[in-house]
């Protein structure tokens, strides 16, 4: 007994039956349909997430969208770069392995099934068919199988006869190519996934690892392209970006990775000769195209081409797409206007869009970064039918700041309010820049070059926002009677002068109460109150200014029941004193005293609101665009995608497979022919892999034709036998 057990153990392979069973179980799971469907479900969910959540956006966008906690929670999961996430690539790899195993297992079986006729089927099995017919014919059993064979071949069936001792079996089949559909469909999944993997970040990561390359940041590339960050032109797969200004040439593109930047050498040089753009009446781009010149250093070939959206340039396996457009380094000349201090002056300042400069003339250590320029701004303009010259001025795309916490509203908010009557109009150039302090904190500003008519007034609009995720909020600066910004700047400087404030308060009090009997004492009291109101409105460095400062003072010093009356008194004092500040600003410039008419009254009212909102603008200086020399640039995406044609091949397999499965019907017909009453008795059975209305019609036609040829009363379909 023990010797038999020892012989049995000696025949057991290493790992034992348990090891074999575990390996077989893993293979069974990997090749099972439920496993493949689970992987497909994961890919569908991931693709849905990738569609809803923006991919490869700046980190600050995700923080603003989801908040710091959830952004940090989602980031390690790769949801912001989902198609290159390791787990997504692993799922695709497992799907390839699972589907390949399924194809490898089942293809031989299907091919064998397509080739066999099943001519060995028994009569008892044939009688169990749901679609069967039985009848008698006058032909002899030796001749009838040939007649049936010819009849079936005429209907497109392939036929095989099997002669037995007690009869003849005629087996026929049609539509066996239907099984090719299953093979092609499964194979298409494998091919498409392989193509997707070839075009994913896997080949790039392999190339970087194999060649020892290291991504770098933008600061490291400022002094030149380091060799450790340069990829050869032979790199098999990549997607890179290239910003090319007009008149410039480049032979490299930039790849953005999680760790920094890589530079991809191109097998040709690309020169942007001209960038062309056309707009719809709404201001949206209608057409933008790039006229380029391509030079091949190897062959010396040089040719011109035009790249448009959906019309890329393909050369040496690299596809150049027109992705978008940008500024290519427009040179701008600005007028700097300080927003603090008692002096009213201008200084010239120039720069290049995309560059930066130090600001040394505003008393603070600031740096200005020129981030954007637009020569055309087409906005939805509210039409004011009461004014004849409104057709050339408009503004849109501005968002609300909201009201102050007090009952004094600010106009630092929407550039255009909702209006049913609007028209799209070009309102001229604009510039966007950032002011960055020593701590690295920056605010972004967006100023229009030309004044804009809005709500019955004409204003220069200066926008500001704290983060790129915010919308710009606009400061409305009214123009003077000459249509310039100079009147407001003189007004601002005069308000900051304490001597002017005191003189304006005194003049206002004297004009208001100087002719009364108790005028001297009343003038002194009113002048003192008006001076305090002006001081609080003007503010001092580090303190709140404008209307919010006055509202805060009233809330802190006046009982709640008296606040409304106190507000009215203070506002009247402020308005009267501010009118005199305006007069002093004109006198200082050698201008005549303004008359209290509608033009000057509207200017002073609007200027007071703008001066109140300067604290929200929160900048020591404002720059007005004076002149510019525009340089356009094209943004190209360059792709070397060897998996593209693999995916196309997979799509072809998918189309063939779907067509085969849905439009090719596999049918099998069996005729069992035996001798009966001097003729032949036939038992017919018909089957299909998928029962459809077409199959039912074909079966009914078979029965009808067999009944017409059989002996009278001798034929009956299934379910109708006596």
């Amino acid at each position: 007994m023990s010797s038999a057990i020892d012989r049995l153990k000696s025949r057991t392979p290493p790992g034992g039956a348990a090891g074999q069973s575990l390996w077989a179980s893993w293979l069974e799971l990997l090749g099972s349909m439920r496993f493949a469907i689970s992987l497909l479900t994961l890919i569908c969910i991931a693709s849905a997430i990738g569609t809803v959540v923006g991919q490869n956006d700046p980190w600050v966008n995700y923080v603003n969208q989801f908040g710091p906690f959830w952004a940090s929670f989602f980031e390690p999961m790769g949801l912001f770069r989902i198609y290159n996430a390791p787990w997504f690539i692993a799922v695709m790899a497992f799907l390839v392995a699972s589907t390949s195993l399924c194809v490898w297992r089942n293809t031989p079986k299907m091919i064998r099934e397509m080739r066999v006729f099943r001519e060995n089927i028994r009569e008892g099995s044939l009688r169990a068919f749901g679609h069967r017919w039985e009848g008698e014919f006058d032909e002899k059993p030796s001749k009838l199988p040939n007649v049936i064979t010819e009849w079936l071949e005429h209907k497109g069936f392939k036929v095989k006869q099997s002669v037995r001792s007690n009869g003849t079996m005629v087996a026929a089949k049609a539509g066996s190519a239907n099984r090719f559909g299953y093979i092609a469909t499964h194979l298409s999944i494998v091919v498409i996934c392989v193509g997707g993997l070839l075009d994913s970040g896997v080949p790039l990561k392999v190339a970087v690892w194999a060649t020892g390359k290291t991504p770098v940041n933008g600061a490291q590339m400022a002094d030149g392209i380091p060799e450790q960050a340069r990829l050869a032109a032979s790199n098999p797969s990549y997607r890179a970006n290239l910003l090319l200004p007009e008149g410039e040439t480049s032979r490299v593109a930039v790849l953005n990775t999680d760790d920094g930047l890589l530079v991809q050498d191109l097998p040709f040089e690309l020169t942007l000769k001209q960038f062309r753009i056309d707009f719809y009446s709404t201001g949206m781009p209608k057409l933008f195209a790039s006229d380029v010149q391509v030079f091949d250093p190897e062959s010396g070939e040089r040719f011109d081409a035009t790249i448009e959206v959906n019309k890329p340039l393909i050369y040496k396996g690299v596809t150049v797409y027109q992705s978008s457009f940008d500024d290519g380094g427009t040179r701008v000349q600005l007028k700097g206007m300080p927003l603090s201090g008692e002096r009213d002056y201008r200084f010239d300042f120039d720069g290049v869009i995309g560059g930066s400069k130090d600001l040394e003339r505003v008393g603070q250590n600031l740096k200005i970064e020129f981030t954007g320029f637009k020569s055309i701004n087409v906005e939805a303009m509210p039409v004011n039918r009461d004014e004849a010259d409104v057709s050339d001025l408009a503004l849109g795309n501005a968002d609300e700041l909201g009201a102050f916490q007090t009952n004094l509203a600010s106009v630092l908010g929407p550039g255009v309010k909702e209006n049913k009557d609007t028209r799209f109009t070009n309102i001229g150039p604009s510039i966007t820049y950032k002011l960055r302090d020593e701590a690295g904190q920056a605010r972004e500003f967006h100023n229009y070059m030309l004044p804009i008519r809005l709500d019955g007034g004409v204003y220069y609009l200066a926008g500001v926002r704290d983060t790129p995720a915010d919308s710009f909020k606009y400061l409305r600066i009214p123009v003077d009677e000459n249509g310039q910004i100079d009147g407001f700047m003189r007004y601002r400087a005069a308000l900051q002068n304490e001597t002017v404030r005191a003189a304006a308060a005194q003049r206002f009090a004297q004009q208001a109460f100087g002719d009364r009997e108790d005028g001297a004492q009343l003038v002194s009291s009113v002048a003192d109150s008006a001076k305090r109101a002006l001081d609080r409105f003007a503010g001092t460095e580090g303190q709140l200014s404008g209307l919010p400062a006055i509202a805060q003072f009233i809330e802190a010093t006046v009982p709640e029941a008296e606040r409304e009356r106190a507000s009215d008194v203070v506002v009247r004092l402020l308005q009267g004193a501010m009118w005199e500040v305006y007069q002093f600003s004109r006198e200082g410039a050698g201008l005549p005293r303004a008359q209290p008419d509608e033009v000057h009254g509207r200017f002073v009212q609007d200027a007071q609101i703008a001066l109140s909102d300067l604290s929200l603008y929160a900048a020591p200086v404002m720059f007005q665009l004076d002149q510019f020399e525009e340089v356009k640039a094209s943004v190209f995406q360059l792709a070397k995608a060897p998996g593209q044609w693999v995916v196309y091949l997979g799509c072809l397999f998918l189309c063939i497979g779907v067509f085969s499965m849905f439009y090719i019907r596999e049918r099998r017909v069996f005729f069992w022919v035996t001798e009966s009453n001097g003729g032949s008795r036939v038992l017919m059975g018909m089957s299909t892999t998928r029962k459809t209305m077409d199959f039912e019609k074909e079966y009914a036609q078979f029965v009808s034709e067999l009944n017409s040829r059989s002996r009278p009363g001798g034929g009956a379909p299934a379910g109708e036998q006596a």
Side-chain angles (χ1 to χ4, degrees):
M1 182 68 178
S2 61
S3 61
I5 294 176
D6 292 338
R7 286 196 302 270
L8 183 60
K9 288 182 179 180
S10 65
R11 295 177 183 176
T12 303
Q20 282 187 333
S21 177
L22 181 61
W23 175 247
S25 298
W26 276 106
L27 283 180
E28 184 66 26
L29 175 63
L30 186 63
S32 65
M33 181 178 293
R34 64 180 182 274
F35 185 69
I37 291 177
S38 300
L39 295 176
L40 276 174
T41 303
L42 283 176
I43 291 177
C44 291
I45 294 174
S47 300
I49 294 174
T51 302
V52 174
V53 179
Q55 300 293 295
N56 301 310
D57 288 345
W59 170 252
V60 66
N61 290 8
Y62 299 117
V63 174
N64 292 327
Q65 183 177 2
F66 301 107
F69 173 78
W70 288 109
S72 302
F73 179 79
F74 291 144
E75 198 274 336
M77 301 167 62
L79 298 187
F80 305 145
R81 292 171 178 80
I82 201 165
Y83 301 113
N84 287 323
W87 64 266
F88 183 81
I89 294 174
V91 169
M92 289 187 64
F94 272 111
L95 182 60
V96 169
S98 176
T99 311
S100 299
L101 182 59
C102 181
V103 171
W104 177 70
R105 280 181 171 180
N106 295 296
T107 296
K109 300 177 184 178
M110 290 187 176
I111 293 177
R112 285 196 302 270
E113 187 67 20
M114 291 166 57
R115 298 175 62 181
V116 300
F117 285 82
R118 301 180 187 173
E119 68 275 13
N120 296 322
I121 191 172
R122 297 181 179 181
E123 180 182 356
S125 299
L126 198 58
R127 291 189 179 278
F129 275 36
H131 294 77
R132 66 184 185 278
W133 178 91
E134 190 169 1
E136 295 183 355
F137 292 84
D138 293 331
E139 290 84 351
K140 299 293 183 182
S142 58
K143 295 182 179 181
L144 185 58
N146 294 330
V147 174
I148 294 174
T149 297
E150 183 179 355
W151 179 60
L152 290 173
E153 288 177 346
H154 179 72
K155 289 183 173 293
F157 284 80
K158 293 182 179 181
V159 186
K160 185 176 182 179
Q161 295 184 16
S162 175
V163 181
R164 305 176 188 173
S165 59
N166 58 340
T168 302
M169 177 64 71
V170 180
K173 62 184 178 69
S176 296
N178 170 272
R179 296 185 182 272
F180 272 122
Y182 296 94
I183 299 173
T185 302
H186 286 74
L187 191 60
S188 70
I189 297 176
V190 176
V191 175
I192 291 174
C193 288
V194 169
L197 289 172
L198 288 176
D199 287 347
S200 68
V202 174
L204 178 62
K205 292 181 179 179
V206 172
V208 170
W209 171 78
T211 56
K213 301 299 182 181
T214 304
V216 296
N217 56 39
Q220 292 173 299
M221 292 180 60
D223 299 329
I225 302 173
E227 190 61 32
Q228 73 269 18
R230 184 187 290 270
L231 296 173
S234 58
N235 187 15
S237 174
Y238 56 83
R239 286 187 179 273
N241 297 303
L242 171 62
L243 188 146
L244 193 61
E246 287 180 326
E248 294 194 11
T249 301
S250 179
R251 197 181 171 182
V252 296
V254 176
L255 289 84
N256 293 313
T257 67
D258 295 338
D259 302 322
L261 303 175
L262 292 170
V263 177
Q264 175 63 57
D265 286 335
L266 303 176
F268 53 83
E269 290 182 354
L270 197 65
T271 302
L272 178 61
K273 299 173 64 177
Q274 184 183 12
F275 176 76
R276 296 178 282 113
I277 185 169
D278 192 12
F279 295 91
Y280 290 104
S281 60
T282 60
M284 296 297 294
K286 178 169 62 176
L287 168 70
F288 49 94
S290 300
D291 297 327
V292 300
Q293 186 177 83
V294 181
F295 173 67
D296 188 345
E298 293 185 1
S299 64
E301 181 183 5
R302 190 185 300 270
F303 62 91
D304 295 333
T306 298
I307 304 174
E308 300 180 21
V309 178
N310 299 325
K311 295 181 180 179
L313 167 68
I314 303 176
Y315 186 67
K316 283 198 166 183
V318 179
T319 304
V320 184
Y321 298 95
Q322 179 72 63
S323 175
S324 62
F325 57 91
D326 206 338
D327 190 274
T330 295
R331 289 173 284 276
V332 295
Q333 295 182 11
L334 309 174
K335 291 290 185 182
M337 295 171 286
L339 298 180
S340 61
E342 302 177 7
R343 291 182 57 205
D344 173 29
Y345 66 97
R346 309 286 187 275
F347 62 90
D348 295 329
F349 201 83
D350 58 16
V352 177
I353 301 301
S356 62
K357 269 189 171 184
D358 291 330
L359 266 178
E360 300 176 351
R361 300 192 58 176
V362 294
Q364 299 182 29
N365 190 7
L366 297 175
K367 176 178 286 188
I368 181 172
E369 301 171 0
F370 302 98
T371 57
F373 169 82
K374 291 181 67 175
S375 60
I376 296 175
N377 287 277
V378 179
E379 305 291 355
M381 177 189 68
V383 177
N384 188 342
R385 302 188 182 278
D386 296 331
E387 301 187 23
D389 59 342
V390 75
S391 59
D392 60 341
L393 298 168
L395 178 71
N397 259 355
D399 296 314
E400 294 186 1
L401 171 68
F404 281 123
Q405 295 178 354
T406 66
N407 60 346
L408 300 172
S410 170
V411 249
L412 184 60
V416 169
K417 298 180 181 178
E418 294 185 3
N419 196 316
K420 295 182 179 179
D421 297 324
T422 61
R423 67 180 62 170
F424 291 99
T425 307
N426 176 24
I427 60 173
S430 64
I431 185 172
T432 307
Y433 60 89
K434 290 182 179 180
L435 292 180
R436 191 175 300 276
D437 59 21
E438 293 180 303
Q441 300 296 319
R443 303 188 84 205
E444 192 171 17
F445 301 87
H446 181 233
N447 298 344
Y448 287 91
M449 181 179 183
L450 303 176
I452 297 162
R453 184 173 297 278
L454 187 63
D455 295 338
V458 182
Y459 308 92
Y460 282 96
L461 285 149
V464 60
R465 65 182 179 185
D466 294 324
T467 66
D470 297 334
S471 299
F472 282 107
K473 305 161 188 175
Y474 288 91
L475 176 70
R476 300 184 186 183
I477 301 177
V479 301
D480 56 24
E481 66 269 26
N482 297 319
Q484 302 297 322
I485 200 173
D486 299 340
F488 175 80
M489 290 302 169
R490 289 195 303 266
Y491 197 6
R492 182 210 62 78
L495 180 64
Q496 294 298 316
N497 189 312
E498 186 174 2
T499 303
V500 171
R501 293 197 301 270
Q506 183 66 34
R507 181 186 292 182
F508 161 69
Q510 184 66 37
Q511 291 178 353
F513 304 102
D515 56 352
R516 295 180 56 169
E517 295 182 359
D518 55 346
Q521 183 177 358
L522 187 58
V523 166
S524 176
S525 175
V526 171
D528 184 61
S529 298
K531 173 66 165 53
R532 288 199 301 269
L534 286 176
D535 290 343
R536 291 194 178 277
F537 187 86
T540 57
E541 189 172 353
Q543 293 183 358
L544 191 64
S545 63
L547 297 177
I550 293 178
Q552 184 185 68
F553 172 75
I554 292 174
E555 288 181 359
T557 59
V558 179
E560 184 175 358
E562 301 293 329
R563 287 176 187 173
E564 184 176 354
R565 189 171 64 87
S567 297
D568 292 338
V569 173
V570 173
V571 168
R572 288 183 182 182
L573 290 174
L574 180 64
Q575 288 177 342
M578 287 294 290
W579 174 259
E580 296 303 327
V581 172
Y582 175 56
Q583 298 291 4
F584 275 108
S585 71
R586 293 177 60 86
E587 292 171 9
L591 298 175
R593 183 176 176 86
Q595 299 300 317
D597 53 21
E598 182 179 356
V599 173
H600 294 287
R602 174 68 181 260
F603 173 81
V604 172
Q605 180 182 0
D606 291 342
Q608 288 181 44
I609 298 175
L611 289 169
S612 176
D613 291 338
L614 281 180
S615 61
L616 300 176
Y617 192 71
V621 63
M622 185 182 74
F623 288 98
Q624 184 182 21
L625 184 61
D626 189 27
Q627 297 182 34
F628 60 88
E629 184 179 344
E630 186 177 16
V631 179
K632 300 185 181 71
S634 280
V635 180
F636 298 112
Q637 185 180 80
L638 298 95
K640 191 173 183 181
Q644 176 182 359
W645 298 105
V646 179
V647 173
Y648 289 161
L649 179 62
C651 292
L652 177 62
F653 285 160
L654 183 61
C655 292
I656 293 173
V658 171
F659 179 85
S660 300
M661 287 191 296
F662 284 95
Y663 295 100
I664 299 178
R665 297 179 295 110
E666 182 182 15
R667 296 98 67 207
R668 291 182 181 271
V669 186
F670 303 93
F671 288 85
W672 175 242
V673 182
T674 57
E675 185 177 2
S676 176
N677 299 326
S680 301
R681 186 161 189 84
V682 174
L683 174 62
M684 185 272 290
M686 194 171 183
S687 66
T688 182
T689 54
R690 188 173 66 253
K691 293 182 180 180
T692 62
M693 293 181 63
D694 291 335
F695 173 74
E696 297 292 345
K697 290 180 180 179
E698 187 176 24
Y699 170 71
Q701 184 180 3
F702 267 60
V703 171
S704 176
E705 294 184 18
L706 290 172
N707 284 333
S708 65
R709 297 184 183 184
S710 64
R711 289 176 177 175
E720 297 181 12
Q721 288 89 344

